[in-house]
Amino acid sequence: MVINNNIEKLAEDLEKQELEAPNGIPLPQIYAQLLAIYLYQNDLCNAKYLWKRIPVNVKSSNPELGNIWTVGQHMWKRDFPAIYKALNAVTWSDSVAEIMKILHEKVRSRAIDLIEQAYSSISLDMVAAMTGLSQDVAGAACVERGWSVEMDTHIIHPVRSNLQSSGDTSSEDQLYKLTEFVSFLEN
């Protein structure tokens, strides 16, 4: 199942299946996939609402749902080391394994973008924690990105990339980005 290119369509199909499920309760795999997709999309509000509407008996009979939600809770707190730990602590079922894999990559990508935009200098330890990489791999990745690395102090100086802007950004998008940035700085 190659979903990276059509994740929006898959989300729509799963939402439809949830609404049209017999007896109003879809299969746990539908909940699991939809919850994982919401996390991939960084749509934490919809993930939380989905978690709240999943019946308790479905949650208790399917521990994987709880494991996916644990990842979501750490994403909500922006606790990057805990996100990676939760993602790596489980062997995901075939129905969500690919989604969780691309979620892992997406979280790392968001962390790198955040480091790039928010820091003028950061310790190698912090980069490793935020990216879920070992210090050696994180240091090599920083050098590969063109960031300067002080080998004696293990301080990284990220270089801001010019993000592609579409010209017009909605005020809602700007408010969301500002909220994300301020929330990150507060934590």
Side-chain angles (χ1 to χ4, degrees), residues 51-62 65:
W51 177 253
K52 287 183 179 241
R53 72 176 176 262
I54 297 172
V56 174
N57 63 334
V58 174
K59 292 177 190 176
S60 62
S61 66
N62 190 331
L65 280 169

Side-chain angles (χ1 to χ4, degrees), residues 110-156:
R110 287 180 193 137
I112 291 169
D113 290 345
L114 184 61
I115 291 168
E116 213 168 65
Q117 298 303 314
Y119 290 93
S120 59
S121 64
I122 185 171
S123 72
L124 181 58
D125 291 341
M126 183 64 83
V127 171
M130 289 181 69
T131 59
L133 300 170
S134 68
Q135 283 196 5
D136 295 337
V137 174
C142 291
V143 170
E144 188 176 303
R145 290 189 69 83
W147 298 355
S148 64
V149 178
E150 295 177 14
M151 292 300 183
D152 54 337
T153 60
H154 295 283
I155 299 294
I156 310 295

Side-chain angles (χ1 to χ4, degrees), residues 92-104:
W92 303 102
S93 69
D94 291 342
S95 64
V96 295
E98 189 172 345
I99 300 168
M100 299 310 282
K101 179 182 176 198
I102 63 172
L103 170 62
H104 193 281

Side-chain angles (χ1 to χ4, degrees), residues 60-73:
S60 62
S61 66
N62 190 331
E64 187 169 61
L65 280 169
N67 293 332
I68 296 169
W69 181 237
T70 298
V71 174
Q73 290 172 312

Side-chain angles (χ1 to χ4, degrees), residues 176-187:
Y176 176 77
K177 288 176 185 175
L178 180 61
T179 302
E180 288 288 307
F181 184 72
V182 170
S183 295
F184 175 77
L185 292 176
E186 287 178 350
N187 291 329

Side-chain angles (χ1 to χ4, degrees), residues 7 10 41-42 74-75 79 84 94 108 159:
I7 200 145
L10 180 58
Q41 294 171 330
N42 205 26
H74 294 306
M75 288 176 69
D79 185 351
Y84 298 117
D94 291 342
R108 180 171 290 137
V159 176

